[in-house]
Each structure stands twice: as C-alpha cells, then as structure tokens.
Amino acid sequence: MKQINTEKYNIYLGNDASAALHSFFSETAYSSLFILADEHTKKSCLPKIKRYLPALRNARVIVIKSGEKNKTIQTCIKIWDELSKQNADRRSLLINLGGGVITDMGGFAASTFKRGIDFVNFPTTLLAQVDASIGGKTGVDFNQFKNQVGLFAFPKAVFVIPAFLKTLSKRELLSGFAEVIKHGLISDLHYWKKIKSTNPLHTKNWEKVILKSIEIKNSIVSADAYEEGIRKYLNFGHTIGHAVESSSLKSKKPLLHGEAIATGMICEAYLSHKYCGLKTQELNEIIATITAAFHPKPIPYPADKLIERMYQDKKNNNSEINFSLLSAIGKAEINNFCNKSLIEESIIFFNSLYQ
Ligand SMILES: NC(=O)c1ccc[n+]([C@@H]2O[C@H](COP(=O)([O-])OP(=O)(O)OC[C@H]3O[C@@H](n4cnc5c(N)ncnc54)[C@H](O)[C@@H]3O)[C@@H](O)[C@H]2O)c1
Ligand SMILES: [Zn+2]
C-alpha cells in the first residue's frame, strides 16, 4: 500500500487496503456511516469494500442513478433527503463509492449538508482514481453547463484500489486514459513517452500509472489548491472539451468526459501550435497518440455554438476565453486568451483530420 500525503488528507493506493482502512476508521469516531453509490458500483464495488472493512456492513447505502446526466442539484436533493430521513448529523461520514460523478457530487452534497459533514472517496473508475477524486473540486452541472455549482472541499482520505477497475468497461477505462494523457502532456515528457507506448486496453497492472498521475495532480494542487495559478494547467483540453461534452449531453449517445477531453486536447494542441510555439512535430505526435487510442469522430456541433458555451465557462475572466496550452510536450502555459477565429480554426482543423 502506497501512501501519498497532502496537506489536508492522505491518499492510499493499493489493493491491500484493509490495514489503511482499519487504521483510518479506528482513529475516527463517526456517529453514522453512509455510502453513496450508483447502481453499477452498488453491484460491483460495494461487496468488495465490505470485505475490506466489515464495519461497513452497518453503513447505510444511498443509491443514485449513474451517469453525467444525473450530476445535478436534483440528485443532491435526493442525497440530502436520504441523509435527513436517516438522521445523519454533523458527525456522520459520507463514503463516496464510484466514479467522478459520485466523488464530485458526493463531495458537494456532504460539504453542504448541515454546513458540512466529512467525506472520504473510494474512486472506482480510472478517471476518478487518477484525477477526479483528488484535489478538492466538488460540484454538479447546472443548466447544461459543466460543474457550474460547487465548491472546493477536501475529503478526509482517498482510498484508491486498482482492483475495482476489473469490472469497468473498456470504454470507461479509455475515458480515464484521457486524463492520464493530459498529465503527461502538461508536466512530464518522460511520463508522456511511457504513455505513448501504453495500450490502455491491454494494460493489466494500472498501479504505476495511477501512482504517477496522482503524484502529478497532487503536486500541482498542493502548489495552488484554489486555482489561482498553475492549477489551471489541469484545464488543458477542457475548455473546448467541456463545450463539446455539455453539447453532447442532450444527444442520444452522449460522449464520456474523457472522450470529449480527447477531442478538446487535439483542438487545444492546435491552439498551442499557433499561439504558444508547440512544434509541428509535437503537435503531430499528440494527434497520432490520441487518434490511436480514441478514434475520434468529427465534432457535430457548429463552432459558434461551442464558442458561445466557452464564454459561459467558469474558467473565463472578463468574457475572454482563457486557455491552458502547451509550449512543448511536458510544459504547460496558463492564461492564453485566444480569439474566436483561432478557436474556430482549431475546430475546423480537428474536423479535417477525421472526415
Ligand atoms: N473534480 C475533479 O477534479 C474532476 C476531474 C476530472 C473529472 N471530473 C468529473 O468526473 C466525471 C466523470 O467521471 P467518470 O468518468 O468516473 O464517470 P462516472 O462516475 O459516470 O462513472 C462511469 C460509469 O462507470 C460505472 N462504474 C464506476 N465504477 C465502476 C466499476 N468499478 N465497475 C463497473 N462500473 C463502474 C459508473 O456507474 C458509471 O456508469 C465528470 O463529471 C467530470 O466532470 C472531475
Ligand atoms: Zn477532466
């Protein structure tokens, strides 16, 4: 079991989680335990954590419907309602057992209930293990915009158990791999070289990758928890990616978060080339790696509608669209304000690759 310490909480990584769990729960005295799961993690992951820590057999389980479309304030109301009905008090603990939807929304629901109760994360998707469960960003989507309502709130601990990934679908696994790619691109050329030659669908042992990604995310967040500076690196691919993701939410087959971010990273690598000096050869390397993993399709939404969405994105100041870009692989640059025509050009460029 590896332990990664942050200023506010510890992250435990490994399949041999029992000792860390026992020690955490024996050192804390909660009045009651609640587990937040969705229908998939209830089936695939809940029995496993009860085996790790038999004390969890007495926890009350709140089950919500899976999927990004349920990451809403309405679902939070259901969570708050269940907590109230089951007499949760300020010394109760919420255990988030699931992917990024559960850890984002559970963290938000816990830290607003009765002015804040403790929560811990058990991330069960690759995406949540390498990214979403760490760093303290919690929240829900609102009016079809991503993460519009939320707060920074830190878990008491994060237990990352790679064995949970065994039941995850290939599509979901790949979605998480987009954040792994992002971590290499924004901060570590050596890691990027490893990732480039990794086939996520043939990887059996994820622990090393998860550890490296956690270390990268954690060091960025530790230096800038509230996103005043370098935490913005983590937004690479997310300005255009979020616009594509939220546009797709209403469609019959919405994109997964990582799929939208893969698209966003190619568009924003193009912006990086035009605006930040990313070399042609590195742009081509990024395109080739993402294309091989994701087989992207052209973006089916008009560029002007996507740009309108980007204006609404919370990452923008004074109505300018703020991008985190790359000046080279492994080197991110924050606060790049690209104009509309360049953004449109990046979308046209993306579509031309996949006609
Ligand atoms: N807070 C942050 O810093 C941060 C960072 C990145 C992403 N996010 C957010 O994370 C969300 C995406 O997270 P996600 O990709 O984990 O999606 P998700 O939570 O919707 O999980 C994906 C699917 O996998 C299922 N699932 C989860 N674990 C499983 C398992 N072990 N076995 C079988 N099925 C399982 C879930 O039920 C769901 O259907 C987005 O809302 C995104 O905005 C947040
Ligand atoms: Zn993301």
Side-chain angles (χ1 to χ4, degrees), residues 137-341:
K137 278 191 178 179
T138 72
V140 293
D141 304 336
F142 184 62
N143 282 349
Q144 289 178 46
F145 289 102
K146 291 274 304 169
N147 307 325
Q148 289 291 292
V149 176
L151 42 85
F152 287 97
F154 297 89
K156 287 290 159 198
V158 181
F159 298 95
V160 181
I161 302 174
F164 282 140
L165 303 183
K166 281 185 193 150
T167 54
L168 197 63
S169 71
K170 286 184 174 169
R171 189 177 168 208
E172 294 290 354
L173 197 67
L174 202 53
S175 172
F177 196 62
E179 304 284 12
V180 171
I181 289 176
K182 178 190 79 179
H183 292 145
L185 287 176
I186 59 173
S187 79
D188 194 325
L189 178 62
H190 184 66
Y191 186 41
W192 162 257
K193 284 184 180 156
K194 278 202 174 141
I195 294 161
K196 239 181 22 165
S197 55
T198 300
N199 182 336
L201 301 181
H202 293 155
T203 302
K204 293 259 172 329
N205 186 355
W206 280 101
E207 197 163 321
K208 274 194 189 151
V209 171
I210 295 168
L211 176 63
K212 185 69 197 167
S213 270
I214 291 177
E215 284 171 349
I216 289 174
K217 175 145 188 193
N218 190 38
S219 75
I220 293 172
V221 173
S222 299
D224 175 26
Y226 297 100
E227 202 170 292
E228 282 148 356
I230 68 157
R231 187 168 180 162
K232 292 181 192 171
Y233 288 174
L234 294 160
N235 296 334
F236 174 66
H238 282 62
T239 305
I240 295 180
H242 272 168
V244 171
E245 183 184 6
S246 30
S247 302
S248 94
L249 273 180
K250 269 172 101 185
S251 70
K252 278 194 187 131
K253 208 168 176 250
L255 289 177
L256 299 179
H257 179 72
E259 293 167 341
I261 294 322
T263 295
M265 285 193 289
I266 291 181
C267 296
E268 294 183 24
Y270 178 84
L271 293 179
S272 301
H273 172 60
K274 290 283 171 175
Y275 196 88
C276 258
L278 180 75
K279 292 201 175 101
T280 309
Q281 181 231 326
E282 293 201 321
L283 170 66
N284 289 338
E285 202 178 308
I286 296 169
I287 293 170
T289 305
I290 297 179
T291 301
F294 288 87
H295 308 292
K297 303 225 161 42
I299 300 171
Y301 313 107
D304 58 335
K305 289 272 177 295
L306 291 172
I307 294 169
E308 227 169 83
R309 277 189 180 278
M310 289 174 221
Y311 274 114
Q312 306 249 9
D313 193 292
K314 66 200 175 321
K315 289 188 279 292
N316 304 310
N317 298 326
N318 310 325
S319 344
E320 286 183 295
I321 301 180
N322 187 352
F323 288 90
S324 299
L325 301 176
L326 309 172
S327 53
I329 291 179
K331 190 154 187 356
E333 309 287 340
I334 60 171
N335 299 336
N336 300 287
F337 295 93
C338 300
N339 65 31
K340 272 186 183 177
S341 71

Side-chain angles (χ1 to χ4, degrees), residues 38 40 68 71 99-101 104 124-125 137 146 164 167 217:
D38 63 31
H40 301 131
E68 185 73 28
K71 187 176 145 183
V101 167
D104 274 16
T124 62
T125 61
K137 278 191 178 179
K146 291 274 304 169
F164 282 140
T167 54
K217 175 145 188 193

